[in-house]
Amino acid sequence: MKFVNEENELKISFEAFKKRVLEDYRLAVLSRECSLLGRREVFSGKGKFGIFGDGKELPQLAMNHFFQNGDFRSGYYRDQTLLMAQGLLTVANIFSALYAHLDQSIEPMSGGRQMGGHFSTPFRNDKGEWLDLVNLKNHSGDISPTGSQMPRLLGLAQASKVYREHKTQNSPKFSNEGNEIAWGTIGNASTSEGMFFETINAAGVLQVPMVISIWDDGYGISVSNKDQTTKESISEALQGFQRTDTEKGLEIIRVKGWDYLALIEAYEKAATLARTEHAPVMVHVTELTQPLGHSSSGSHERYKSKERLEWEKAYDCNLKMREWILKEGLAKEAELIKMEEAALKQVRAAKRASWEAYQAPIFKQKAKLLSYLPILKKETYNDPKIQLIFSKLEQVLELGFKDIISAARQIKIVLSKHPNAKLRDFDQWLDALTSDMKNKVSHLYTVSKDELINFKAVKPKYNKDTETVDGRIIIRDNFEALLNKYDSLLFFGEDVGKIGDVNHGLEGLQAKFGELRIADTGIREATIVGQGIGLALRGLRPIAEIQYLDYILYCIQILSDDLATLNYRTLGKQIAPLIIRTRGHRLEGIWHSGSPMGGMIHLLRGIHLLVPRNMTQAAGFYNTLLQIEQPAIVVESLNGYSVKETLPSNLGEFSVPLGQIEIMRSGADITVVSYGSTLRIVEATAQRLTEVGIDIEIIDVQTLIPFDLKEEIRESIAKTNRLLIVDEDVPGGASSYILQQLIEKQAAFSLLDSAPKLLSSKAHRPAYGGDGDYFSKPSVDDVFEAAYSIMNEFDPSQYPL
Ligand SMILES: Cc1ncc(C[n+]2csc(CCOP(=O)(O)OP(=O)(O)O)c2C)c(N)n1
């Protein structure tokens, strides 16, 4: 038997072996008791939902012996035993998460934002500075959508490969010569997801140190492997990926989940292969059980046969380990019973303490509210509604802050009928508590509005003899400057390497900077994004390319569920400053001219959305983003690469701030707000409008998220009193978002003398060709007529129709 000890020596004494086995058994029992009592807490109404790691304890304990400092995990809600074994999750943490304790120091996994069972460890401190990840066991933040942990896993593993082959100034801070393994875990049923297959294929191509474990308990909630997986076995189905002596691929290992010794051997083999050879490995752990069923939502007796339930009882991995320990004489039964009783006692005590810790601050606030009762009665002349509110509060069974604040808000309404009531202290207390609570569940971004406003942008400089070049040259030469400036910068995507992207914005750069930094990928948008998230989580600065904006739909799920929520769900302890480069808006045809900006705005809050009108602005955004460490999507204008622009001399240096508009033309009559490709159309219309006496002010919003942080569009509307919003999204898309921002946030309604007008594309996809485009997307004629009709409404005699 081999275990890795602290010095990485592979052999240990029998006594040490026995000690470890018994410690593993203790952890298995402790973890199981957490699952059992946790489930009961949900049934007693103290937790809303419970999902636990019961039945998956043993493989995690075996894996733990080979999980070294510097390694990463991208897993899912069954992995509590692994984190407990690593000292990263206490029993109290489990219960605090179940109660949704909003205090991060008590519920460190997500500060009560996620359901229990979703784990993470900090990668950064409170100031946003990196922790010493090479000396920590790192768990990237779990998410609930099944299979979504896979794309990120690819990037976490690829970072080791990058660091082994490409030394950056910061390499030692992030990697020990690329020795780190990315450990993935996934349920058997979730392997049916496309992202799983995409990841497996990409890992085989890239040859990255990934060990992916499949916890196979035969079911995905109620649906068995028969209806989930070809041949009812994912490792059978994937045999073609098995590496051979001559061909690279994946090493596939199959092992029974109740066989402790076999598990140790399997993980030892997997870890050695991955760490030394950077070979991806799949460990298919079969014959696992789910003693409590899938989650607290229902019982598994509904869908498992009697025979299956009996088999699960007999093959429970903890029970099998116990039998094995006794058979091998590693401990006496009395010793095990003592251990089991101690575990139960420990869990019960921690559970009680966690509940008390959760309730104490709530009851403190309730007492505070109660302390106002006498004065409330006095100031409202004993209004019976006050007593009624307090009586109802007394009846609440599982009290939360929300109940106290809700009572106080109702009291405020009663107080509004008594304008002379003096209750400043009550108001201050309620405001402070409300803002404290809101603060606990907010913070979508790590960067503040003030920081963005105060960003010191550098203007592009132009030499006297400056050339005018195709826009794509500015993008390309700026990228070259950035690659020289940032040694951790990497580009990858479809056709990005050899040909330097389909529009040649990276032309010739692979030859200069190598295949690792400018890499072609397969056609696999979800894992291109996942690669980017994982690489960014490990200190690299990826720019992942999605070839056309229309194909962002293939990865919008992972952008939305993973990247956009990362900072929020880990309370800023993990951020991935991934930059997505893509190109969209106007070109030709249904799938090469998309501008689904509204969809993106709504699904991707948490990621900045930048819509440069030309390549100089786009380059400026890349330069900014590399300085501010924020996740962002940059949508370059597809029809802008061959438009001539003046080449700046300070490439890689000039920058465009986020959330700041640019007034491209000042005018007196109508504020025309737009972004991206439609700006060229609006500009082209301005002259025609002047000819009929209409003077438009053109505003480029530049970034949709964040939106006009200084609220400068309001100033323009205050001057013109008229508003036209132009874009090429569907009606009710981004143009409606812009209007909402102006009406709600900038209070522009009272400034308008005419109804605001929104000019967008048609609701159907744009038809191919010039005529198709003309009748699908806004044209100069449409902009002209929209602006003219606004003026007609204002003064029909001067602007007759
Ligand atoms: C994309 C998505 N679809 C459906 C669900 C609902 N769901 C949660 S867990 C689960 C079953 C997962 O089974 P498996 O992968 O075998 O993992 P297990 O829970 O058995 O460990 C389902 C369908 C989800 N969370 N995400």
Side-chain angles (χ1 to χ4, degrees):
M1 169 52 38
K2 293 179 194 169
F3 275 101
V4 179
N5 67 11
E6 283 73 19
E7 284 78 43
N8 282 345
E9 290 163 3
L10 287 176
K11 285 202 170 40
I12 57 171
S13 71
F14 179 72
E15 273 314 304
F17 164 68
K18 194 171 107 176
K19 208 169 139 213
R20 282 193 186 185
V21 169
L22 293 183
E23 174 57 8
D24 275 355
Y25 181 67
R26 188 189 71 80
L27 282 163
V29 172
L30 190 70
S31 175
R32 179 65 62 87
E33 289 300 348
C34 288
S35 307
L36 290 164
L37 287 191
R39 186 174 165 88
R40 265 188 239 157
E41 285 299 88
V42 177
F43 292 144
S44 75
K46 288 181 176 160
K48 290 209 160 171
F49 177 75
I51 193 151
F52 303 99
D54 48 291
K56 318 287 185 293
E57 292 90 347
L58 244 53
Q60 291 175 39
L61 291 163
M63 176 200 279
N64 178 48
H65 288 295
F66 304 94
F67 196 121
Q68 293 184 3
N69 280 351
D71 286 356
F72 287 76
R73 165 188 157 278
S74 183
Y76 78 120
Y77 50 77
R78 296 287 178 215
D79 296 343
Q80 73 194 40
T81 314
L82 177 67
L83 277 97
M84 289 176 89
Q86 295 176 345
L88 298 170
L89 181 75
T90 65
V91 177
N93 293 154
I94 292 179
F95 285 94
S96 302
L98 202 62
Y99 308 139
H101 200 130
L102 293 173
D103 188 331
Q104 196 189 358
S105 64
I106 292 177
E107 200 288 85
M109 297 297 142
S110 79
R113 290 169 185 209
Q114 291 224 67
M115 291 168 170
H118 293 70
F119 308 112
S120 71
T121 54
F123 292 8
R124 298 189 183 230
N125 65 19
D126 288 338
K127 291 190 209 136
E129 299 157 345
W130 286 102
L131 298 178
D132 189 13
L133 300 185
V134 277
N135 290 314
L136 295 169
K137 295 189 166 76
N138 306 295
H139 296 262
S140 62
D142 294 350
I143 58 179
S144 300
T146 49
S148 293
Q149 67 273 41
M150 292 294 103
R152 175 183 355 122
L153 176 68
L154 183 69
L156 290 170
Q158 197 203 355
S160 293
K161 186 179 168 113
V162 172
Y163 283 123
R164 189 171 279 181
E165 293 174 20
H166 167 67
K167 300 278 168 283
T168 67
Q169 227 181 333
N170 279 331
S171 298
K173 194 170 152 53
F174 291 107
S175 175
N176 174 16
E177 307 284 333
N179 282 338
E180 304 76 23
I181 290 176
W183 301 85
T185 67
I186 184 168
N188 52 292
S190 302
T191 64
S192 304
E193 295 282 9
M195 280 177 291
F196 171 79
F197 287 89
E198 226 185 273
T199 305
I200 292 294
N201 179 51
V205 171
L206 289 172
Q207 291 294 296
V208 289
M210 165 195 292
V211 176
I212 175 166
S213 294
I214 294 149
W215 305 147
D216 192 344
D217 56 20
Y219 287 82
I221 309 188
S222 64
V223 182
S224 75
N225 280 350
K226 181 172 155 290
D227 293 319
Q228 292 277 5
T229 310
T230 304
K231 302 186 180 183
E232 299 187 39
S233 161
I234 191 65
S235 55
E236 278 292 327
L238 293 182
Q239 267 313 314
F241 284 91
Q242 173 65 51
R243 60 188 210 140
T244 64
D245 290 343
T246 52
E247 283 171 323
K248 287 184 174 152
L250 261 78
E251 183 64 27
I252 299 178
I253 299 171
R254 228 170 280 147
V255 60
K256 293 189 174 28
W258 47 264
D259 188 340
Y260 181 74
L261 279 186
L263 284 163
I264 295 281
E265 273 166 21
Y267 279 105
E268 187 200 358
K269 182 178 171 194
T272 308
L273 274 175
R275 224 179 280 287
T276 54
E277 295 180 30
H278 273 185
V281 184
M282 177 192 296
V283 185
H284 184 191
V285 184
T286 61
E287 298 195 17
L288 284 170
T289 69
Q290 212 167 69
L292 301 174
H294 174 75
S295 68
S296 58
S297 297
S299 71
H300 58 157
E301 284 80 7
R302 288 172 301 161
Y303 48 80
K304 287 181 188 162
S305 66
K306 205 167 130 264
E307 294 72 42
R308 170 76 195 186
L309 289 166
E310 270 164 21
W311 178 87
E312 288 206 10
K313 273 204 187 100
Y315 281 80
D316 182 315
C317 61
N318 287 11
L319 182 70
K320 285 297 229 184
M321 185 178 189
R322 192 181 198 275
E323 287 169 3
W324 173 76
I325 290 171
L326 293 174
K327 190 170 132 253
E328 296 294 321
L330 296 171
K332 297 244 160 30
E333 181 146 37
E335 217 178 312
L336 297 185
I337 291 173
K338 209 167 140 204
M339 202 183 258
E340 287 153 5
E341 285 171 352
L344 178 59
K345 214 167 141 195
Q346 184 186 343
V347 175
R348 279 193 182 142
K351 181 195 78 164
R352 255 195 312 275
S354 305
W355 180 247
E356 278 158 21
Y358 168 71
Q359 291 258 287
I362 299 173
F363 277 96
K364 200 170 149 203
Q365 294 301 338
K366 185 184 171 191
K368 181 77 186 164
L369 177 62
L370 275 173
S371 74
Y372 291 114
L373 185 56
I375 186 155
L376 282 166
K377 282 184 167 172
K378 184 166 160 261
E379 296 286 330
T380 61
Y381 306 100
N382 272 326
D383 190 324
K385 287 193 209 87
I386 294 285
Q387 189 54 55
L388 194 67
I389 293 167
F390 276 89
S391 305
K392 276 196 181 153
L393 187 64
E394 280 309 321
Q395 286 160 19
V396 176
L397 282 181
E398 302 299 350
L399 192 73
F401 288 106
K402 67 176 183 355
D403 304 301
I404 296 159
I405 290 178
S406 171
R409 289 171 75 177
Q410 294 170 56
I411 289 168
K412 290 269 293 182
I413 292 172
V414 179
L415 286 175
S416 65
K417 303 262 167 10
H418 301 272
N420 296 326
K422 288 185 188 60
L423 280 151
R424 258 192 74 214
D425 189 61
F426 171 81
D427 287 342
Q428 279 171 355
W429 162 77
L430 178 59
D431 288 349
L433 180 60
T434 307
S435 110
D436 183 39
M437 295 309 294
K438 280 189 180 165
N439 200 31
K440 284 195 164 128
V441 292
S442 59
H443 300 301
L444 188 53
Y445 301 94
T446 42
V447 69
S448 70
K449 181 177 163 185
D450 287 344
E451 280 170 285
L452 289 177
I453 288 177
N454 294 327
F455 177 79
K456 295 260 171 298
V458 174
K459 291 228 151 37
K461 287 186 192 148
Y462 298 99
N463 293 332
K464 276 198 211 85
D465 51 351
T466 302
E467 295 172 71
T468 299
V469 296
D470 282 354
R472 67 134 191 134
I473 303 291
I474 296 177
I475 283 282
R476 183 195 66 188
D477 293 358
N478 189 72
F479 280 153
E480 180 167 356
L482 289 176
L483 281 157
N484 283 318
K485 188 170 169 182
Y486 299 98
D487 62 3
S488 56
L489 177 61
L490 310 166
F491 287 83
F492 49 90
E494 297 151 19
D495 304 295
V496 152
K498 268 188 206 67
I499 63 167
D501 93 45
V502 286
N503 292 92
H504 313 301
L506 289 156
E507 184 192 30
L509 298 185
Q510 189 183 61
K512 285 187 186 157
F513 295 94
E515 289 184 17
L516 207 64
R517 295 189 70 191
I518 319 284
D520 280 321
T521 67
I523 307 176
R524 46 176 182 78
E525 286 78 10
T527 43
I528 288 173
V529 168
Q531 242 173 293
I533 298 172
L535 292 167
L537 278 169
R538 292 193 61 189
L540 292 158
R541 293 308 313 265
I543 297 188
E545 177 166 318
I546 299 300
Q547 199 164 77
Y548 294 97
L549 181 59
D550 306 72
Y551 306 126
I552 205 136
L553 298 190
Y554 274 65
C555 57
I556 205 149
Q557 180 270 330
I558 210 72
L559 286 168
S560 181
D561 287 332
D562 198 354
L563 185 62
T565 66
L566 181 63
N567 167 58
Y568 177 76
R569 71 182 193 263
T570 65
L571 296 102
K573 294 297 164 65
Q574 293 180 18
I575 57 170
L578 166 64
I579 301 170
I580 305 287
R581 174 183 187 219
T582 186
R583 49 188 77 84
H585 313 313
R586 222 167 186 104
L587 195 73
E588 299 291 343
I590 297 181
W591 286 281
H592 295 86
S593 55
S595 193
M597 307 313 297
M600 292 168 71
I601 288 163
H602 300 310
L603 289 167
L604 301 178
R605 300 284 164 97
I607 301 175
H608 302 289
L609 188 52
L610 319 186
V611 279
R613 65 178 179 273
N614 62 29
M615 300 306 151
T616 308
Q617 301 304 102
F621 279 139
Y622 292 117
N623 298 345
T624 304
L625 288 168
L626 283 162
Q627 291 175 46
I628 65 171
E629 283 206 314
Q630 291 296 309
I633 299 175
V634 183
V635 183
E636 295 168 15
S637 292
L638 247 172
N639 61 357
Y641 293 111
S642 51
V643 174
K644 297 283 182 222
E645 294 180 38
T646 316
L647 184 70
S649 58
N650 53 345
L651 291 166
E653 302 297 331
F654 67 92
S655 48
V656 179
L658 269 56
Q660 298 190 32
I661 62 148
E662 194 176 310
I663 299 177
M664 293 169 60
R665 178 189 197 276
S666 69
D669 295 330
I670 304 174
T671 298
V672 183
V673 177
S674 190
Y675 60 89
S677 293
T678 41
L679 276 166
R680 271 194 294 282
I681 291 168
V682 175
E683 273 187 305
T685 318
Q687 185 50 38
R688 263 174 70 179
L689 285 165
T690 321
E691 288 161 16
V692 293
I694 300 172
D695 183 23
I696 58 170
E697 176 141 312
I698 306 177
I699 293 183
D700 179 3
V701 302
Q702 305 210 86
T703 65
L704 287 165
I705 301 177
F707 184 84
D708 186 17
L709 295 171
K710 294 200 220 158
E711 304 194 353
E712 290 173 314
I713 301 178
R714 187 177 202 280
E715 288 167 31
S716 170
I717 300 172
K719 181 175 72 174
T720 63
N721 309 116
R722 286 176 206 93
L723 173 64
L724 170 63
I725 301 170
V726 182
D727 81 349
E728 50 185 297
D729 194 2
V730 292
S735 57
S736 299
Y737 161 80
I738 292 173
L739 187 66
Q740 176 261 340
Q741 293 285 311
L742 297 177
I743 298 290
E744 265 183 29
K745 284 220 167 145
Q746 300 196 11
F749 183 71
S750 58
L751 305 173
L752 290 167
D753 284 347
S754 312
K757 236 183 175 10
L758 276 60
L759 175 63
S760 54
S761 290
K762 298 291 177 289
H764 56 74
R765 300 274 182 115
Y768 175 68
D771 283 347
D773 176 86
Y774 183 81
F775 291 105
S776 304
K777 295 214 166 195
S779 64
V780 169
D781 299 314
D782 295 327
V783 176
F784 180 91
E785 285 168 12
Y788 193 87
S789 74
I790 290 175
M791 297 314 286
N792 165 264
E793 187 208 329
F794 162 67
D795 186 351
S797 60
Q798 198 181 339
Y799 303 99
L801 268 177

